[in-house]
Amino acid sequence: MQKKLLLLVNPVSGKSRVKTELLGILKVFSDADLDPTVYVTRRSGDATEQVVKVGKSYDVIVACGGDGTLNEVVAGALRIRFEGAIGFLPCGTTNDFANSLGIPKNLVKAAELIAEGEAKDLDFGSFNRLRTFIYVAAFGAFTEVSYKTDQKLKNMFGHAAYISEGIAHLTELRKYFVKVECDGEHYEGEYLFGAASNTLSLGGVMKLKAELVDMKDGYHEVLLVKNPKTAGDFAQLSTALLSGKFDNKSIQILRGKKIVFDCDEEIPWCVDGEFAGKFEHAEIHNLHKRLRVFY
């Protein structure tokens, strides 16, 4: 029996590769007896609105764009308790989510994975019960880089745009005194960075080892980076973060189903590369195996 597929395309994501590869993608779906409907998003939040509006009429919903586009699709799917499967054609700048799951960067091959593969359960996250996220909620160092880097700059220079923008913000690093509760255990300190994540890659820069992360185990990894005391400590910390070897006294890694961050001032938060707002209190819950995804 032919299945109905909704393909939501962000036309400005990445280098807009989908414009030249769309026919090949549609052929893959049609050959697999999937009946595709294409919707080109017009603005931020449009993908979520479309999924909420028509999503239940489809068996498969596919996001074509960056992590932000997928975030919108997942948000809509969770809202309507979608029982079908989610696919992802990654054409963003960093594609942390796709890299973690091994989804091909070649869009036609990613389409073949959807057409020929089997969807599997996956965890997602809830941030302050206001919004959902696919792979990370974070505050502090470098979290502003993604949403402050101009889209044209991202398209022209790709991942290098994030690195150059991050270097430009090095002098602006600041620390926050934060109290953290992770599944009932309490921690506190002056942190440059904090994140609850379900990914092997953060911003395409920080890498977590595969043995640390299981994206369907019901837990988020919590990465806390304390403020280094000396210039030498800072240099060692930078090396540890970039190499993925987190055996550094300034780095703490936890795991939890419910994580709470409290600060005596409002902290800017970034969710899946997008600005989420400023909060003194942030509560994160793991949404265990809430959707099925092709990977």
Side-chain angles (χ1 to χ4, degrees):
M1 181 178 177
Q2 193 174 46
K3 292 183 177 181
K4 295 180 65 178
L5 180 148
L6 176 61
L7 175 61
L8 295 137
V9 178
N10 181 344
V12 299
S13 183
K15 297 181 180 180
S16 304
R17 290 184 293 125
V18 68
K19 294 178 182 178
T20 59
E21 299 183 48
L22 183 58
L23 288 179
I25 292 167
L26 295 178
K27 183 177 186 303
V28 168
F29 291 149
S30 296
D31 288 348
D33 210 22
L34 293 167
D35 179 19
T37 298
V38 179
Y39 181 86
V40 179
T41 61
R42 301 180 177 92
R43 61 188 182 281
S44 175
D46 197 12
T48 299
E49 292 174 12
Q50 287 302 310
V51 171
V52 170
K53 184 178 179 181
V54 303
K56 284 196 172 183
S57 300
Y58 292 87
D59 302 290
V60 179
I61 301 177
V62 178
C64 181
D67 291 331
T69 305
L70 180 62
N71 174 290
E72 291 191 12
V73 168
V74 166
L78 288 170
R79 193 177 302 174
I80 64 173
R81 299 186 179 183
F82 182 60
E83 296 181 355
I86 302 294
F88 186 36
L89 305 179
C91 51
T93 307
T94 56
N95 297 313
D96 282 321
F97 184 82
N99 292 338
S100 295
L101 291 177
I103 296 174
K105 294 180 181 178
N106 181 293
L107 297 184
V108 173
K109 289 188 179 299
E112 291 172 350
L113 177 66
I114 296 167
E116 302 168 3
E118 181 179 349
K120 306 167 190 173
D121 291 329
L122 206 63
D123 295 347
F124 293 92
S126 166
F127 179 80
N128 268 357
R129 303 188 187 277
L130 297 173
R131 60 187 296 172
T132 55
F133 62 95
I134 55 174
Y135 74 97
V136 67
F139 72 86
F142 299 107
T143 55
E144 293 185 0
V145 171
S146 178
Y147 61 82
K148 284 193 173 181
T149 304
D150 183 79
Q151 183 65 51
K152 291 181 180 179
L153 186 64
K154 294 179 187 178
N155 291 349
M156 288 175 62
F157 299 107
H159 184 246
Y162 285 101
I163 303 301
S164 60
E165 189 74 6
I167 292 172
H169 283 78
L170 276 176
T171 57
E172 301 173 15
L173 290 182
R174 59 166 299 183
K175 59 184 181 292
Y176 298 96
F177 183 82
V178 182
K179 295 179 179 179
V180 183
E181 179 184 340
C182 183
D183 284 353
E185 297 292 327
H186 296 268
Y187 310 85
E188 63 180 46
E190 291 185 333
Y191 299 110
L192 288 177
F193 175 84
S197 68
N198 192 36
T199 180
L200 295 174
S201 175
L202 289 169
V205 178
M206 287 184 275
K207 308 288 185 180
L208 279 72
K209 292 183 178 179
E211 56 265 30
L212 285 176
V213 181
D214 181 344
M215 297 176 69
K216 55 183 184 300
D217 64 356
Y219 291 87
H220 276 97
E221 280 64 50
V222 182
L223 181 62
L224 301 171
V225 180
K226 291 184 177 180
N227 184 45
K229 300 300 183 184
T230 67
D233 290 342
F234 187 87
Q236 291 177 10
L237 171 62
S238 300
T239 300
L241 291 173
L242 292 172
S243 67
K245 298 177 180 178
F246 296 154
D247 52 346
N248 183 282
K249 62 184 180 180
S250 294
I251 302 174
Q252 191 170 16
I253 298 178
L254 313 169
R255 296 173 72 250
K257 296 180 179 181
K258 176 184 175 182
I259 307 103
V260 180
F261 298 85
D262 280 302
C263 185
D264 58 4
E265 63 179 300
E266 290 187 333
I267 300 177
W269 280 83
C270 177
V271 170
D272 291 342
E274 303 292 334
F275 179 60
K278 295 182 178 181
F279 303 90
E280 292 182 12
H281 175 88
E283 187 171 313
I284 292 164
H285 294 263
N286 184 279
L287 305 178
H288 184 43
K289 293 185 177 180
R290 200 60 64 91
L291 289 174
R292 294 187 300 123
V293 179
F294 288 100
Y295 65 96

